[in-house]
Amino acid sequence: MAITLVNPDGLPEVDVYRQVSIASGSKLVFVAGQVAWNADGATVGEGDLTAQAEQCYRNVATALAAAGASFDDVVKLNVHVVDWTPDKMPQLLEGIARAADGLGVNPAAPATLLGVAALDVPEHLIEVEATAVVD
C-alpha cells in the first residue's frame, strides 16, 4: 500500500481520521467534489444530511475505482457542508459510517471540514473531494 496514516505524538487523536498521511506511490488521483447525485443526476436524500453524506462517499468510491484506486489510497479529504454547525456532526458521521459499512472501507485519511454558504444547487447539503496516491 502506498499510504501510511498516523496520529503523531503532540497532536490530538481524532476518532474519524488520522492527522497525517504519508504517500509513497507514483500516481496522483484528484477526485472532483462529489455531491449527492445518483448515476442519473438526481439528488439523493433531499434535506437529509446523513443520506447525502452517504451518497457523496459512495460517489467518491466510484470515482476512485475508475482511476484504479480506493479509500485505502486516499491521502486527503475535503468535506464542505452547507450552513455547518457542530450539532450536525452526528448526522455527518452517521452518513460516513453508513457509506463505510456499505463499501467495506475505513475513510480515515486526514480530512478538512469546511462550513460553506451554498453549493452548486440548493438541494445539495454536502460535497466531498479526495486526493489519492496509487503505486
Side-chain angles (χ1 to χ4, degrees):
M1 179 177 3
I3 309 300
T4 303
L5 301 176
V6 297
N7 278 320
D9 291 339
L11 293 177
E13 282 199 33
V14 180
D15 291 339
V16 296
Y17 65 87
R18 303 301 171 266
Q19 295 283 8
V20 176
S21 64
I22 303 163
S24 61
S26 58
K27 179 171 75 170
L28 295 175
V29 178
F30 299 92
V31 176
Q34 296 299 302
V35 293
W37 279 328
N38 63 19
D40 296 324
T43 297
V44 172
E46 191 169 333
D48 182 347
L49 179 59
T50 299
Q52 289 198 16
E54 179 180 7
Q55 184 65 41
C56 288
Y57 275 77
R58 288 181 176 279
N59 290 349
V60 168
T62 299
L64 289 167
S70 72
F71 270 102
D72 287 339
D73 303 307
V74 172
V75 295
K76 182 71 167 69
L77 291 165
N78 290 322
V79 180
H80 304 83
V81 179
V82 173
D83 297 326
W84 174 256
T85 55
D87 63 308
K88 293 180 180 178
M89 185 64 84
Q91 298 165 9
L92 175 61
L93 294 178
E94 174 63 23
I96 295 169
R98 286 185 352 198
D101 288 346
L103 296 165
V105 300
N106 182 14
T112 299
L113 173 61
L114 300 166
V116 296
L119 292 170
D120 59 332
V121 296
E123 296 82 25
H124 291 158
L125 304 175
I126 180 172
E127 184 169 333
V128 180
E129 62 182 287
T131 303
V133 177
V134 182
D135 282 329

